[in-house]
Amino acid sequence: MHPLSAVVQQPDFAAELNPEQYAAVMTNARHALVVAGAGSGKTRTLTFRVARLLADGVPSWRILLLTFTNKAAREMLARVGELTGVDSAQLWGGTFHSVANRILRRHAGRLGYQQGFTILDSDDQKALFRSLVKQFAGKTSKKDRFPKPEMLLSLHSLAHNTGRSWQRTLDEEYAHLEQHADTIAQIFEAYARRKEESNSMDFDDLLLNLVRLLRENADLRQELQQRFLHVLVDEYQDTNVLQEELISLLAAGERTSLMVVGDDAQSIYSWRGANVDHIFNFCKTYPDAEMHKIETNYRSVPAILEVSNVAIAHNSRQITKVLRPARPASKFLPAVIPAPDNRTEAQMVAREIDSLLESGIAGRDIAVLYRAHFHSLDVQMELSRRHIPYRITSGLRFFEQAHVKDVLSVLRLLINPRDEVAFRRLVSTFPRVGDATASKIWSGWLRVVESLPPDETRIASYSEFMRPVAVAPAVRPHWVAFLSFMDTLRPAGQELTPPELIKRVQNYLDAHLRTTYENYEERLEDIAQLARTVGDSPGLDDFLSQVALLSEVDQEVQPDDDCVTLSTIHQAKGLEWKVVFIIFLAEGMFPHYRVITEGDTNAMEEETRLFYVAVTRAEDRLYMSFPRYNGHSYDSQYCPPSRFLTTLPPDLLEVWEC
Ligand code: ATP
Ligand code: MG
């Protein structure tokens, strides 16, 4: 009798798995690729495989499970615990970064680190970059508009994760920073030095250093290769070069077996360095590899599955798979909702969510998915109006985003010159202005405002009235430019419409936006959307009070279970909900206009995969909507329905009348 068989429960694998999943769970092949469509139980297969290995007596410390998030690993291991009764605490499960950290904790000494190195989180990194920018860009004449630390960090990280030099990454993706290349070089060198001196690593170093450690130290490599008898990887389609190298270093162990699980049709992270070729080439890299396909889908009702099958069929390069539904047919067809404009679209989504909640569906079973964060603006406003609790996994709530706050500050100050918070925010966008300077300028400003007659709420000429405000000579040019800009917001005493105002504010803040934030272009899209939404409000005062009230509603604390999820599709990877809404399915929005205009087939195929990921999150109900016009009174854009919708056979869908 096996020594462990007395304590380990034997799950009934054959009952819990279909024959394809069962074969993958039970295989003794040294290398195996499980490639299957969404919702076919890949993650479940990997979970059961871990259970099977433990049930077979493999010690948990000899298993390594690599997942997309640490939370996913925890959930999988909890399930393994339920299935086998084995405490899997010794098992190494988590993201590549967490595993790298674990190994480096013991062995980083070999790379010259001292015991107990620090991991720099993104705040620490930013702080370090900030001081380096001050040091190196402080003396150059270009100082005023030198890129902000966040942007340098993104460049630094993308270069690491795509295995490119930062110079090449700069050329290819950050061409607008080219003029600063020499200073950036100095900063990056100093950054590396500082990290070394302070015995610390950033997130990217964790992966890079681990790969280096294993490449350079045969004894350690062998030790790990001997330790891990089984390496298992979920979401393999989104591994980057470093992760791939790490997998192959570990899997090179004589007795190590490797199982990777993925869906080439769900590779959606190439912009962060993921490379779908790893899954395509798996059987070439490991010629003895066994390939398992799972062709049954357990997640979605047949009508949703048909839509997803058709959606992905257009992609040229893929491992062919057909998905058969396991679930019985439902009476609902996926709905297509053409709305006259973005606001109506949001109203329809919110109204439908309201009636789903009324019918007894829980908020946690509903998700609204979108390609870009700004697409969620109107839905956020509508849900708040209806007091429907939601949580956003794609980032900050729209109006909490720094660049949106920057723009709103100007509008607030225009209406209320006593708005200290708005004033400080704006003045701090000037180079070389910190808290102390902002306070001084604010006192001068306030003195002028207080000297005005009480009924004069608007300042007729900023340049003239604010002349007495004392500012240091170094700040003066920015101050003067700011005042003349403020004057352009009421040309000859005439009121501009809110969207026109926003346009001017955006032009004025352009250099600040460009150099302060990463994803400059996406932020411009946010601001354009802001202008459209303001354009639909009766007036600026009204809009600003609405925004303020929105944040009050936001602060109501809601139990997580009741919350509807708002998420980008990227963040929704691997997850599932009973009801899914995909919004903004319009040409130019999704697929993105840049991909359409550049005519890049690979990029378009990635958009298609993204749509496939979105559709396949839905279990019971799927709604796909688009606005015919984005914005209706200002700068409204006509939006043809997305090609992802128009290429679907009409008989698979129910089109709503609007
Ligand atoms: P994705 O590609 O989105 O990551 P996946 O292939 O990993 O999906 P899972 O999340 O493992 O799929 O499974 C999808 C759903 O189907 C889950 O709710 C899972 O519990 C269920 N499921 C999978 N296989 C079976 C099965 N044999 N019997 C019952 N339910 C199953
Ligand atoms: Mg999965």
Side-chain angles (χ1 to χ4, degrees):
M1 198 164 107
H2 191 280
L4 283 173
S5 57
V7 285
V8 180
Q9 299 156 26
Q10 280 285 340
D12 187 350
F13 291 108
E16 298 265 12
L17 303 164
N18 70 26
E20 295 159 330
Q21 295 170 335
Y22 183 83
V25 165
M26 293 299 172
T27 184
N28 290 320
R30 186 152 165 239
H31 299 117
L33 164 70
V34 177
V35 58
S40 58
K42 294 182 297 299
T43 303
R44 185 181 171 102
T45 298
L46 220 49
T47 309
F48 274 80
R49 181 158 175 91
V50 174
R52 179 232 143 171
L53 296 172
L54 294 176
D56 273 3
V58 176
S60 61
W61 59 272
R62 305 198 73 171
I63 301 175
L64 173 64
L65 172 65
L66 293 159
T67 53
F68 184 62
T69 61
N70 289 314
K71 182 163 170 265
R74 277 196 303 276
E75 285 170 4
M76 289 165 80
L77 294 182
R79 181 92 173 97
V80 167
E82 283 165 28
L83 288 169
T84 59
V86 174
D87 175 13
S88 47
Q90 297 286 317
L91 193 151
W92 285 25
T95 59
F96 284 87
H97 287 110
S98 71
V99 167
N101 175 46
R102 213 161 162 166
I103 300 174
L104 288 165
R105 283 286 147 208
R106 278 180 45 215
H107 302 290
R110 303 209 191 184
L111 296 173
Y113 289 86
Q114 312 290 311
Q115 188 86 42
F117 64 86
T118 310
I119 299 178
L120 300 177
D121 65 18
S122 61
D123 275 349
D124 303 331
Q125 273 185 298
K126 256 180 249 166
L128 190 46
F129 263 91
R130 204 169 299 127
S131 77
L132 293 172
V133 168
K134 217 179 238 167
Q135 184 183 340
F136 289 97
K139 296 182 207 90
T140 70
S141 56
K142 292 176 195 140
K143 173 186 192 247
D144 287 1
R145 288 301 166 201
F146 193 78
K148 286 278 185 319
E150 289 81 354
M151 192 175 289
L152 296 181
L153 272 172
S154 309
L155 165 63
H156 195 262
S157 179
L158 188 67
H160 270 309
N161 287 304
T162 47
R164 286 178 292 180
S165 68
W166 69 263
Q167 288 89 342
R168 204 176 125 207
T169 314
L170 184 88
D171 280 354
E172 290 173 0
E173 319 212 11
Y174 290 80
H176 60 284
L177 302 183
E178 202 77 59
Q179 51 167 329
H180 301 296
D182 292 345
T183 319
I184 293 176
Q186 288 176 312
I187 291 176
F188 284 0
E189 267 166 42
Y191 177 61
R193 239 184 354 258
R194 287 273 194 102
K195 279 190 297 185
E196 204 182 306
E197 285 160 10
S198 60
N199 193 34
S200 33
M201 297 186 201
D202 62 27
F203 261 59
D204 297 325
D205 289 328
L206 289 173
L207 280 187
L208 207 63
N209 281 335
L210 177 59
V211 168
R212 237 183 80 205
L213 185 74
L214 298 187
R215 258 192 227 145
E216 292 169 7
N217 295 278
D219 61 327
L220 204 58
R221 192 165 64 234
Q222 280 156 12
E223 184 190 315
L224 286 169
Q225 287 167 345
Q226 277 160 17
R227 174 192 176 111
F228 293 121
L229 291 178
H230 294 275
V231 178
L232 304 102
V233 187
D234 198 6
E235 305 279 1
Y236 181 64
Q237 75 280 355
D238 275 326
T239 44
N240 69 27
V241 252
L242 285 173
Q243 293 165 335
E244 174 63 14
E245 181 165 359
L246 184 61
I247 294 171
S248 54
L249 282 169
L250 292 174
E254 258 169 56
R255 295 174 56 210
T256 311
S257 106
L258 170 68
M259 174 173 280
V260 300
V261 157
D263 178 5
D264 52 303
Q266 292 186 70
S267 167
I268 54 175
Y269 275 95
S270 69
W271 53 282
R272 245 206 234 160
N275 190 342
V276 70
D277 285 342
H278 300 148
I279 200 165
F280 283 125
N281 294 338
F282 188 84
C283 293
K284 278 188 217 131
T285 316
Y286 304 97
D288 65 339
E290 204 174 83
M291 172 137 118
H292 291 265
K293 289 189 179 181
I294 311 174
E295 307 209 304
T296 310
N297 173 293
Y298 290 87
R299 180 177 292 146
S300 311
V301 293
I304 294 176
L305 196 57
E306 278 186 66
V307 168
S308 70
N309 278 338
V310 176
I312 200 65
H314 304 297
N315 266 12
S316 58
R317 190 162 170 243
Q318 55 178 318
I319 302 173
T320 337
K321 325 174 212 67
V322 193
L323 279 179
R324 287 182 308 267
R327 297 188 52 190
S330 112
K331 60 179 185 221
F332 301 110
L333 283 181
V336 171
I337 313 178
D341 55 67
N342 52 310
R343 183 187 263 193
T344 321
E345 179 187 19
Q347 283 165 350
M348 296 182 71
V349 168
R351 204 181 309 132
E352 189 60 18
I353 291 179
D354 230 352
S355 65
L356 289 163
L357 295 171
E358 290 262 298
S359 75
I361 293 179
R364 64 161 183 279
D365 289 327
I366 303 175
V368 181
L369 306 181
Y370 34 85
R371 188 194 182 290
H373 189 44
F374 81 85
H375 297 169
S376 67
L377 166 58
D378 295 285
V379 171
Q380 287 185 42
M381 293 182 79
E382 278 309 316
L383 292 178
S384 296
R385 261 190 212 119
R386 285 171 179 263
H387 300 277
I388 299 174
Y390 59 90
R391 62 190 183 99
I392 303 185
T393 60
S394 51
L396 292 172
R397 282 158 194 268
F398 191 84
F399 296 108
E400 286 169 7
Q401 300 177 101
H403 56 296
V404 174
K405 280 187 164 175
D406 293 342
V407 172
L408 290 177
S409 295
V410 178
L411 306 184
R412 282 167 49 174
L413 194 65
L414 192 65
I415 293 204
N416 173 20
R418 288 165 193 265
D419 188 332
E420 181 174 352
V421 175
F423 181 86
R424 280 174 168 279
R425 185 167 191 105
L426 285 174
V427 172
S428 316
T429 63
F430 301 171
R432 271 178 276 195
V433 171
D435 263 359
T437 318
S439 297
K440 265 189 221 144
I441 310 181
W442 168 246
S443 343
W445 169 281
L446 188 64
R447 221 169 296 126
V448 174
V449 173
E450 285 180 337
S451 68
L452 297 173
D455 54 345
E456 195 159 322
T457 51
R458 300 251 178 134
I459 293 168
S461 163
Y462 290 87
S463 306
E464 200 181 312
F465 284 40
M466 295 299 166
R467 198 172 297 145
V469 177
V471 292
V475 181
R476 186 124 211 118
H478 301 286
W479 175 245
V480 171
F482 170 65
L483 295 178
S484 10
F485 153 68
M486 289 299 283
D487 284 333
T488 64
L489 299 181
R490 274 186 100 209
Q494 176 206 338
E495 294 296 336
L496 296 177
T497 64
E500 281 165 343
L501 281 173
I502 290 185
K503 189 79 217 143
R504 291 189 184 201
V505 177
Q506 182 195 314
N507 286 340
Y508 167 71
L509 289 176
D510 191 68
H512 160 70
L513 298 171
R514 204 182 270 279
T515 48
T516 307
Y517 305 116
E518 49 179 318
N519 319 335
Y520 165 71
E521 307 224 321
E522 280 164 35
R523 296 193 188 239
L524 289 190
E525 286 177 349
D526 284 347
I527 296 170
Q529 194 61 24
L530 181 71
R532 288 187 203 101
T533 305
V534 190
D536 297 342
S537 307
L540 193 54
D541 293 27
D542 189 77
F543 177 75
L544 289 174
S545 33
Q546 232 185 69
V547 171
L549 292 174
L550 257 185
S551 29
E552 190 184 65
V553 177
D554 288 353
Q555 280 156 15
E556 289 169 12
V557 182
Q558 297 289 349
D560 242 20
D561 268 8
D562 294 340
C563 288
V564 171
T565 300
L566 268 56
S567 172
T568 59
I569 302 165
H570 282 103
Q571 294 277 337
K573 199 166 103 150
L575 306 178
E576 56 192 18
W577 291 270
K578 286 197 166 63
V579 183
V580 168
F581 291 82
I582 311 172
I583 57 171
F584 262 83
L585 268 166
E587 283 289 287
M589 300 287 173
F590 188 17
H592 195 274
Y593 72 88
R594 218 178 304 121
V595 176
I596 300 174
T597 46
E598 284 170 8
D600 176 345
T601 327
N602 287 336
M604 187 55 86
E605 296 210 339
E606 182 140 331
E607 296 283 299
T608 308
R609 294 194 291 268
L610 200 57
F611 178 61
Y612 173 77
V613 169
V615 169
T616 53
R617 299 308 98 201
E619 297 171 13
D620 302 344
R621 306 280 301 264
L622 174 67
Y623 300 82
M624 295 175 284
S625 60
F626 67 95
R628 287 194 194 282
Y629 282 91
N630 185 19
H632 60 229
S633 48
Y634 164 76
D635 186 25
S636 71
Q637 290 169 315
Y638 172 66
C639 303
S642 165
R643 65 190 66 194
F644 300 140
L645 289 180
T646 51
T647 48
L648 292 175
D651 56 322
L652 297 184
L653 308 165
E654 175 192 338
V655 181
W656 286 21
E657 297 287 334
C658 294

